[in-house]
Amino acid sequence: MKKILSALTILAVSFGGYASELNTEATANKGVTYIPSEAVKKSQKEFAADRFGIFIHWGIYSMFAQGEWYLNSGIREDEYCKAAKGFYPADFNADEWVKAIKGSGARYVTFTSRHHDGFSMFKTAESDYNIVDGTPFKRDVLKELSEACAKEDIKLHLYYSHLDWKRTDYPRGRTGRYNGRDSLNYNWDTYYKFMNNQLTELLTNYGPIRAIWFDGYWDHDEDSIPFDWQLDKQYEMIHTLQPSCMVANNHHVNVIPGEDIQIFERDVPGENTAGLSYQELGALPKETCQTMNGMWGYKVRDTDYKDTPTLIRLLVKCAGMGANLLLNVGPQPNGEFPEQSLSRLKEMGEWLAKYGETIYDTAGGDIQSQPWGTTTRKGDTLYVHLLSADTCDLHLPLDCKVKKAVTFDGKQDVKFTRHKDKGIVLHLLEIPDVADYIIELTTK
């Protein structure tokens, strides 16, 4: 039974015993040593080789066409939830989604199983507030997506929100404050059990899940006494249910023990233009999540999509830092990808079909994040990606010896000389106006 507690009791019960430094690796896992299993290490290696994935933000919020945070805009939670009764995405086709994803050159997809509004996009015994039991659609879209991914060999990752703007047992944080919920009516124990029961369903009923992608930890980053999400037990449960499943958390702080991927939101690792990436660069495989336009969920007025060359350069910059790009699509309420998304996916797929060997299975290059571009490496081959070079004589401060330089397109020899201090200078006849002009160096 949920209990209504006084404000004084809340402080004592909710936050007492949660003390630790919030913005460190130690938060709820202080003193924990985590060594990933061989199964997780295999998944990490596979993940790092993939370099490109698609993020899908889809839920009943698409019906309002105002983005995935619409319930945080001050509307009442009970009014918002009525939208579920009208959610009928008649044009949803998992096979078409996955074919578009595979055609983009992406090798995995991350799907929002449950976002901050608390609506579950899968069949769950934990709540009727889900797409099967709470809508006239009555279909388990996650089950269909899982089956379609298996057919096309697209790996499936699942986004799961740690925070909830609907459930009264979730201890309210800094968001979702004005939607009509009673801030005194919560029960962390029942909420934690609810989450773990749902995660158990996701890792039991939907085939191999390569990663669980958490979000919402930051909802309690302003608490006067740091909040303990009890991540150590939750992470351990995930690794037990599916030993090859990785854990990722978009928490905007340093890596916490038990995590297998480090996430950066809207920024290439090492940058912080969006103000969300304060964390230190760790040793884990890395991933940058970014939108095609401005929002994650569908917003009818948000048609300012990044052009394909911009998206290609973002993918290349991520690869140069040894990171993946997780590029978002916000499906429409009818279940279709927006036409602008489909065209970008198609064009990126065409580029990767030609230049994918300079991205897939590569490591971050010897030179990273320069004004002119970046590099990626595969064995003795170093790919120089010129993204915005303004000179045809390019100094590359390399520690390795360069034996040969050719253009990736056409394999035409490129003249180079040893630099007096370090590395080489490429002498290019011209730099074409393309998204990425690639020079291939054979090194020793």
Side-chain angles (χ1 to χ4, degrees):
M1 178 181 296
K2 300 181 180 69
K3 298 179 181 179
I4 300 178
L5 305 175
S6 68
L8 184 60
T9 306
I10 287 172
L11 280 174
V13 175
S14 174
F15 302 124
Y18 287 166
S20 60
E21 289 185 37
L22 183 64
N23 196 31
T24 70
E25 299 181 9
T27 307
N29 297 27
K30 194 166 187 174
V32 173
T33 299
Y34 169 64
I35 301 174
S37 67
E38 291 303 314
V40 165
K41 289 178 182 178
K42 182 178 179 181
S43 291
Q44 288 175 315
K45 184 176 180 181
E46 179 186 76
F47 168 79
D50 286 349
R51 284 292 176 252
F52 186 34
I54 297 299
F55 214 169
I56 296 179
H57 275 72
W58 193 43
I60 60 172
Y61 46 79
S62 68
M63 298 177 66
F64 299 98
Q66 298 297 320
E68 75 290 348
W69 272 54
Y70 186 56
L71 182 53
N72 193 54
S73 65
I75 64 173
R76 289 186 58 86
E77 170 269 329
D78 52 353
E79 292 297 320
Y80 175 93
C81 293
K82 293 176 182 178
K85 295 296 184 182
F87 190 44
Y88 196 91
D91 296 314
F92 169 73
N93 187 309
D95 289 329
E96 290 183 2
W97 276 20
V98 174
K99 286 177 182 176
I101 290 165
K102 188 165 188 175
S104 75
R107 293 181 170 181
Y108 64 98
V109 59
T110 302
F111 178 74
T112 48
S113 66
R114 174 175 162 273
H115 208 269
H116 309 328
D117 65 351
F119 185 78
S120 298
M121 293 293 286
F122 64 100
K123 169 67 174 175
T124 174
E126 295 302 306
S127 168
D128 290 338
Y129 194 52
N130 69 76
I131 193 167
V132 177
D133 300 312
T135 79
F137 195 54
K138 302 297 181 187
R139 284 164 53 187
D140 190 336
V141 297
L142 179 55
K143 175 68 74 173
E144 295 177 30
L145 179 62
S146 172
E147 293 170 353
C149 285
K151 285 189 289 186
E152 296 290 344
D153 194 26
I154 296 294
K155 298 299 185 291
L156 181 59
H157 299 189
L158 295 180
Y159 170 110
Y160 190 85
S161 175
H162 266 136
L163 73 89
D164 193 304
W165 293 328
K166 179 185 185 299
R167 290 183 64 95
T168 56
D169 54 356
Y170 171 71
R172 194 180 69 177
R174 64 175 168 85
T175 65
R177 288 178 170 267
Y178 307 106
N179 62 5
R181 284 189 309 159
D182 183 352
S183 63
L184 303 182
N185 185 14
Y186 77 93
N187 186 322
W188 169 252
D189 289 340
T190 65
Y191 183 70
Y192 187 66
K193 181 179 180 181
F194 160 78
M195 287 195 298
N196 288 339
N197 286 347
Q198 282 209 321
L199 289 165
T200 298
E201 291 176 327
L202 291 170
L203 292 167
T204 303
N205 301 332
Y206 296 93
I209 305 300
R210 196 172 66 173
I212 295 293
W213 204 101
F214 286 115
D215 194 17
Y217 174 103
W218 36 260
D219 193 42
H220 282 279
D221 60 10
E222 296 179 358
D223 291 359
S224 58
I225 301 176
F227 189 82
D228 182 3
W229 291 94
Q230 296 180 261
L231 297 179
D232 51 348
K233 296 177 182 177
Q234 196 168 70
Y235 290 178
E236 183 180 3
M237 181 192 74
I238 291 167
H239 289 134
T240 299
L241 287 169
Q242 287 205 24
S244 62
C245 184
M246 300 177 291
V247 172
N249 198 325
N250 185 37
H251 43 42
H252 307 155
V253 298
N254 292 342
V255 171
I256 294 172
E259 295 170 2
D260 307 297
I261 299 169
Q262 186 176 23
I263 298 171
F264 297 81
E265 183 173 347
R266 294 185 183 270
D267 271 308
V268 174
E271 299 179 1
N272 189 23
T273 62
L276 298 170
S277 299
Y278 297 101
Q279 62 268 47
E280 300 170 0
L281 291 174
L284 296 180
K286 298 170 183 62
E287 180 182 71
T288 288
C289 57
Q290 180 59 283
T291 59
M292 283 194 188
N293 46 358
M295 299 294 293
W296 300 97
Y298 178 68
K299 185 175 182 179
V300 68
R301 298 185 65 177
D302 187 9
T303 57
D304 186 18
Y305 281 71
K306 301 170 183 68
D307 61 26
T308 303
T310 297
L311 297 176
I312 289 170
R313 291 179 187 122
L314 177 59
L315 172 63
V316 172
K317 287 180 68 178
C318 287
M321 288 298 295
N324 292 14
L325 173 62
L326 183 63
L327 186 62
N328 185 71
V329 175
Q332 299 165 165
N334 69 341
E336 292 183 312
F337 286 179
E339 186 58 40
Q340 299 98 318
S341 298
L342 288 171
S343 65
R344 301 304 190 277
L345 294 178
K346 180 176 181 294
E347 289 163 3
M348 291 194 76
E350 291 170 348
W351 187 87
L352 280 164
K354 187 172 184 180
Y355 300 106
E357 75 174 75
T358 73
I359 303 296
Y360 300 128
D361 305 297
T362 62
D366 302 30
I367 304 171
Q368 302 171 333
S369 298
Q370 298 298 311
W372 49 260
T374 190
T375 61
T376 56
R377 177 173 282 281
K378 186 180 292 182
D380 291 333
T381 302
L382 184 69
Y383 300 104
V384 180
H385 300 266
L386 301 179
L387 305 179
S388 58
D390 57 4
T391 176
C392 289
D393 287 336
L394 185 66
H395 174 217
L396 302 177
L398 298 169
D399 291 324
C400 58
K401 181 179 180 181
V402 177
K403 298 167 62 177
K404 186 177 182 182
V406 299
T407 60
F408 186 81
D409 286 327
K411 306 302 181 192
Q412 299 297 311
D413 287 338
V414 174
K415 183 180 177 182
F416 65 93
T417 56
R418 310 292 176 189
H419 193 268
K420 60 181 180 179
D421 295 323
K422 186 179 182 182
I424 65 169
V425 177
L426 293 177
H427 303 290
L428 305 169
L429 297 177
E430 63 174 344
I431 301 176
D433 184 16
V434 293
D436 179 18
Y437 185 51
I438 305 171
I439 306 300
E440 182 179 318
L441 305 182
T442 302
T443 68
K444 183 176 180 181

